[in-house]
Amino acid sequence: MSKLLVRTISGIILASIAISAVLFLDKNIFKFFIAVLSAVAVWETANLLTKKFEKINPISTAIIGFLASLSILFFNFYLAVLTIFLYGFYEAVKKWDINYLTSIVFSLIYGSFFVSSLGLLVDEDKYLLLILFATVWAGDTFAYFVGKTFGKNKLAPRLSPKKTLEGAFGSILGSLIAGGITAYYFNHLEAIVPTAIASIVMQIGDLFESFLKRQVGVKDSSNLIPGHGGILDRIDALMFASIVFLTFYNFL
C-alpha cells in the first residue's frame, strides 16, 4: 500500500472521528477527550526533548499536562500555570539544571495550553470547530497537491526542505475557500476574519514543530498515526489556528 493511500485512509478516519466527536459528544465529555489529547501532545513533546535532556520523564510530564488541561477546561487558568511551574521546578531542582525547568515548562505549555484551546472553542459554539477543521484540513490538502505540482521555491529549507512558497500560497487559498464556504453554511460569516488570519498563522505552526524536530534530529513526533507520524504532526497547524479563532471570539 502506497504511503499516500495510507495517509489518506488515516486522515479520513481521523477526520470522521473528530467531526463525530464535535457533533455528537456531550460538551464536557468532548472537553475531557481534549485533555487526553493534550496529554498525548505533551508526551510527544517531552519525548522529543529527551533527545537532548535524557532525564525528562515523558510519562509523568504527560500526566501533569492532563491535569493542567483539565484545569484550563473546567476550573481555572492560573491553577494550570501554577501546576506547570511547580512540577517544572520540582524536576529541575532534582537535576539541578535550569534547562530542565525551561524544557518541561515548554512541553506543558505547548502541549496542554495550545491543544486545550479546542475545548475552550467548543464553549463558544461547536460549529466554529467545524469551520476551523475545514480551514486547516483544506489548507493541508491544497499545500500538498499545489506544492507537489507547482512547487519550485523553498519556503524554509532549513526547517522543512519539502515545503515551498507555492505550496504555502495553495494552502492559504484552500483555507480561505473551504473556511469561507463552511462559515457561510453555518451562518458564521464573521468567521471569515479568523479564517483569513489562521490561514497564515497555521503555516507558522507547521514550521514551529518542524523546528522542534530538527533540533532533536527526528522526522516525526512519534509513530502513533500510520502515514502521518504523531499527534503533533497531525495537529501542529490546527493548534496555532485554534488560538487565532479563540482569541477572535474572546475579543468579540
Side-chain angles (χ1 to χ4, degrees):
M1 190 180 296
S2 70
K3 184 176 179 179
L4 178 58
L5 182 57
V6 172
R7 183 181 177 88
T8 302
I9 293 173
S10 295
I12 292 172
I13 293 173
L14 289 172
S16 300
I17 293 172
I19 293 171
S20 298
V22 171
L23 291 176
F24 303 118
L25 283 183
D26 173 79
K27 182 193 297 186
N28 288 330
I29 295 175
F30 177 81
K31 290 164 74 171
F32 177 84
F33 280 108
I34 290 297
V36 174
L37 185 65
S38 295
V40 177
V42 169
W43 173 80
E44 286 190 347
T45 307
N47 195 51
L48 288 175
L49 292 176
T50 59
K51 304 292 190 277
K52 284 188 176 289
F53 307 103
E54 60 183 20
K55 293 181 181 179
I56 290 177
N57 188 327
I59 295 177
S60 62
T61 307
I63 292 172
I64 298 299
F66 175 70
L67 296 176
S69 182
L70 287 179
S71 180
I72 294 167
L73 294 170
F74 292 103
F75 301 109
N76 184 275
F77 172 87
Y78 290 102
L79 177 60
V81 174
L82 179 63
T83 302
I84 287 171
F85 274 82
L86 286 176
Y87 175 73
F89 176 61
Y90 169 74
E91 289 294 326
V93 167
K94 287 197 300 181
K95 279 80 174 177
W96 201 249
D97 187 345
I98 196 172
N99 290 310
Y100 280 89
L101 174 63
T102 54
S103 298
I104 290 169
V105 169
F106 165 75
S107 298
L108 288 163
I109 289 176
Y110 181 55
S112 58
F113 276 61
F114 276 69
V115 178
S116 295
S117 64
L118 295 166
L120 295 175
L121 192 58
V122 80
D123 282 333
E124 299 287 339
D125 186 338
K126 66 181 180 181
Y127 295 111
L128 294 176
L129 275 172
L130 299 183
I131 299 171
L132 173 66
F133 290 163
T135 299
V136 175
W137 295 344
D140 285 346
T141 303
F142 272 64
Y144 178 82
F145 287 107
V146 172
K148 198 170 185 62
T149 305
F150 303 105
K152 293 182 179 179
N153 301 290
K154 300 297 183 182
L155 176 64
R158 193 175 182 184
L159 293 174
S160 188
K162 293 184 179 180
K163 295 190 186 304
T164 63
L165 284 170
E166 293 81 4
F169 285 124
S171 173
I172 293 171
L173 178 62
S175 292
L176 290 174
I177 292 172
I181 291 173
T182 313
Y184 175 79
Y185 179 81
F186 288 115
N187 197 30
H188 273 294
L189 288 179
E190 81 289 342
I192 293 174
V193 176
T195 292
I197 299 171
S199 70
I200 298 172
V201 174
M202 59 185 274
Q203 313 293 325
I204 303 172
D206 201 345
L207 293 174
F208 185 93
E209 199 227 348
S210 293
F211 172 77
L212 179 61
K213 291 187 293 186
R214 296 297 176 270
Q215 288 296 305
V216 297
V218 299
K219 183 177 182 295
D220 298 318
S221 60
S222 73
N223 58 359
L224 291 177
I225 307 173
H228 291 274
I231 291 294
L232 290 176
D233 297 316
R234 186 63 259 167
I235 67 170
D236 50 3
L238 182 68
M239 291 159 62
F240 275 58
S242 178
I243 294 292
V244 172
F245 270 69
L246 184 62
T247 301
F248 176 80
Y249 282 96
N250 281 344
F251 180 76
L252 285 183

